[in-house]
């Protein structure tokens, strides 16, 4: 790092140094003079385009403690500043910003899972779980081999992983080498929930409570794009403070910016149409708009979680 001239306030000089070398939008988020360090945050401004009556808005997201600059006195009565490079700082900014996006997505999931089971791609991925439930309903008990040797055999013994999910949630319990209905199934039947709604309720519960297990262990990632498209609409609406009217181009732009992913236009169109089909979004003229019942619940949780409060460092 280059040596700067002596100033009466080294933390202020650290800020000026960071603004010249990192970004003009950084600010001092904390200073510790005893250790000669200054933590730097950054303001990110986002324009939320709304084609409805409310009109577009500008939202500022504060990211605190993105980088730390340390100063030391030199023999020439100057200060030397040591801190992250522009590239390192940008990487930390992305990590913190994406942590907000991920948190928003997790808060949104509970209000989508009952709808996600009706997406054909998700429904197909859940077929092994559905088979277990149907076989159990018809025969009173089920074993991994009943799913067929393709799933029951092999090193992965994938079938047992499906049973593990259902057992953890109380939908089945093990008796010797078979599984029988668990207490949660009895509760649903006591509430007079009958097939096929019984299966959909259980599968929705699995998606809600074990989404990470489904993705990481069973590799059932089919639901992920639809959750992401939903978040690409609802998070900007949360930033704006109301359900916005968003055109296709803006929705696609949000998705690509939030998730750093780009698909073929036909794939994107198909995935977006799926979330319209399951009534996560609706069409108003040429714009997408959200569902008040989803948005209101999501807003309450996002407010309680303070996801737009100044975000602290991940470390």
């Amino acid at each position: 790092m280059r040596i700067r001239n002596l100033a009466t306030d080294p933390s202020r000089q650290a800020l000026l140094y960071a603004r010249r070398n990192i970004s003009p939008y950084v600010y001092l988020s904390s200073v510790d003079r005893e250790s000669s360090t200054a933590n730097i945050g950054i303001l990110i401004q986002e324009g939320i385009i709304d084609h409805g009556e409310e009109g577009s808005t500008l939202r500022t997201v504060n990211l605190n403690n993105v980088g730390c600059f340390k100063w030391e006195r030199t023999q020439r009565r100057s200060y030397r500043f040591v801190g992250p490079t522009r590239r390192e700082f940008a990487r930390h900014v992305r990590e913190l910003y994406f942590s907000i996006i991920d948190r928003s997505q997790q808060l949104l999931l509970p209000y989508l899972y009952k709808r996600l089971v009706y997406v054909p791609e998700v429904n197909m991925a859940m077929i092994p779980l559905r088979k277990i439930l149907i076989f159990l309903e018809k025969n009173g008990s089920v074993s991994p081999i009943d799913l067929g040797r393709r799933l029951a055999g092999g090193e992965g013994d994938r079938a047992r992983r499906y049973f593990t999910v259902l057992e953890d949630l109380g939908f089945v319990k093990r008796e010797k080498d078979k599984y029988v209905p668990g207490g949660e199934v009895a509760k649903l039947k006591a509430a007079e929930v009958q097939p096929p709604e019984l299966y959909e309720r259980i599968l929705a519960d699995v998606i809600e409570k074990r989404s990470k297990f489904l993705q990481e262990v069973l590799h059932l990632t089919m639901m992920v794009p639809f959750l992401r498209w939903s978040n690409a609409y609802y998070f900007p609406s949360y930033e704006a403070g109301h359900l916005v009217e968003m055109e296709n181009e803006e929705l696609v732009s949000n998705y690509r910016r939030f998730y750093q992913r780009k698909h073929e236009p036909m794939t994107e169109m198909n995935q977006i149409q799926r979330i319209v089909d399951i009534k996560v979004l609706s069409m108003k003229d040429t714009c997408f708009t959200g569902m008040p019942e989803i948005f209101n619940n999501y807003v309450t949780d996002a407010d309680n979680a303070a996801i737009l409060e100044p975000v602290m460092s991940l470390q």
Side-chain angles (χ1 to χ4, degrees):
M1 293 291 184
R2 290 180 293 175
I3 298 175
R4 297 295 168 181
N5 293 330
L6 177 65
T8 57
D9 186 352
S11 63
R12 175 66 178 171
Q13 291 301 309
L15 174 61
L16 294 175
Y17 177 84
R19 284 180 172 172
R20 283 192 292 268
N21 291 275
I22 301 295
S23 168
Y25 301 104
V26 300
Y27 61 88
L28 287 176
S29 55
S30 64
V31 175
D32 186 341
R33 297 186 183 279
E34 290 187 4
S35 63
S36 300
T37 56
N39 288 317
I40 307 296
I42 190 169
L43 301 175
I44 297 178
Q45 291 188 331
E46 298 186 322
I48 312 299
I49 299 175
D50 183 3
H51 297 278
E53 295 180 359
E54 298 280 353
S56 300
T57 58
L58 186 66
R59 177 76 197 190
T60 299
V61 179
N62 291 358
L63 302 179
N64 274 344
N65 297 348
V66 180
C68 179
F69 282 83
K70 188 175 181 65
W71 66 83
E72 56 185 28
R73 195 77 168 267
T74 69
Q75 292 181 346
R76 294 188 296 175
R77 296 179 61 80
S78 298
Y79 289 101
R80 185 190 307 274
F81 298 105
V82 179
T85 64
R86 185 191 297 267
R87 178 175 294 181
E88 290 169 340
F89 189 87
R91 177 170 57 81
H92 293 158
V93 169
R94 287 195 297 271
E95 289 173 352
L96 283 172
Y97 183 76
F98 292 151
S99 74
I100 300 175
I101 301 301
D102 182 66
R103 182 62 176 146
S104 169
Q105 181 174 298
Q106 293 304 313
L107 292 171
L108 186 59
L109 176 60
Y111 308 109
L112 301 182
Y113 65 90
K114 288 183 179 178
R115 303 170 194 249
L116 287 174
V117 293
Y118 293 103
V119 173
E121 291 86 346
V122 176
N123 193 285
M124 183 172 294
M126 302 289 279
I127 282 177
L129 286 167
R130 188 187 304 273
K131 283 183 176 180
I132 293 172
L133 297 173
I134 293 173
F135 198 95
L136 187 64
E137 174 71 15
K138 302 297 184 184
N139 296 278
S141 66
V142 61
S143 68
I145 197 64
D146 292 323
L147 275 182
R149 295 190 179 279
R150 184 179 65 84
L151 289 175
E155 292 183 6
D157 199 4
R158 193 174 183 185
R160 295 192 184 279
R161 297 177 182 176
Y162 289 105
F163 284 97
T164 295
V165 175
L166 295 174
E167 187 175 20
D168 286 347
L169 295 177
F171 292 117
V172 301
K173 61 182 179 180
R174 189 163 188 170
E175 289 188 356
K176 296 182 179 180
D177 60 341
K178 291 184 175 293
Y179 291 86
V180 298
E184 293 302 312
V185 172
K187 289 179 184 178
L188 288 172
K189 288 190 173 181
E192 298 184 352
V193 178
Q194 299 297 323
E197 184 187 356
L198 175 69
Y199 311 139
E200 306 305 330
R201 291 272 290 270
I202 293 174
L203 295 179
D205 207 42
V206 170
I207 290 177
E208 179 194 14
K209 297 177 180 177
R210 292 295 184 272
S211 61
K212 183 171 289 190
F213 184 92
L214 293 177
Q215 295 172 47
E216 295 179 356
V217 179
L218 297 181
H219 308 295
L220 301 183
T221 58
M222 297 305 297
M223 74 184 109
V224 175
F226 308 105
L227 179 56
R228 288 175 171 173
W229 283 112
S230 303
N231 197 39
Y233 172 84
Y234 281 97
F235 178 66
S237 291
Y238 177 68
E239 290 184 288
H242 60 271
L243 289 169
V244 302
E245 294 184 22
M246 186 182 298
E247 290 191 341
N248 186 82
E249 181 181 352
E250 291 129 26
L251 182 62
V252 171
S253 176
N254 289 340
Y255 181 94
R256 293 176 178 178
R257 179 165 54 90
F258 289 175
Y259 299 106
Q260 305 292 292
R261 292 176 180 271
K262 182 178 180 180
H263 303 292
E264 293 295 328
M266 185 173 293
T267 299
E268 293 179 337
M269 290 174 60
N270 178 64
Q271 291 176 347
I272 293 170
Q273 185 59 47
R274 294 299 196 209
I275 62 173
V276 173
D277 292 343
I278 62 173
K279 296 181 171 50
V280 169
L281 297 180
S282 65
M283 291 296 298
K284 184 177 181 181
D285 297 325
T286 61
C287 294
F288 298 103
T289 187
M291 302 298 180
E293 64 272 22
I294 295 175
F295 184 66
N296 293 336
N297 287 312
Y298 162 66
V299 165
T300 298
D301 289 350
D303 283 345
N304 290 337
I307 63 173
L308 287 181
E309 292 298 315
V311 179
M312 302 302 290
S313 171
L314 292 174
Q315 300 180 352

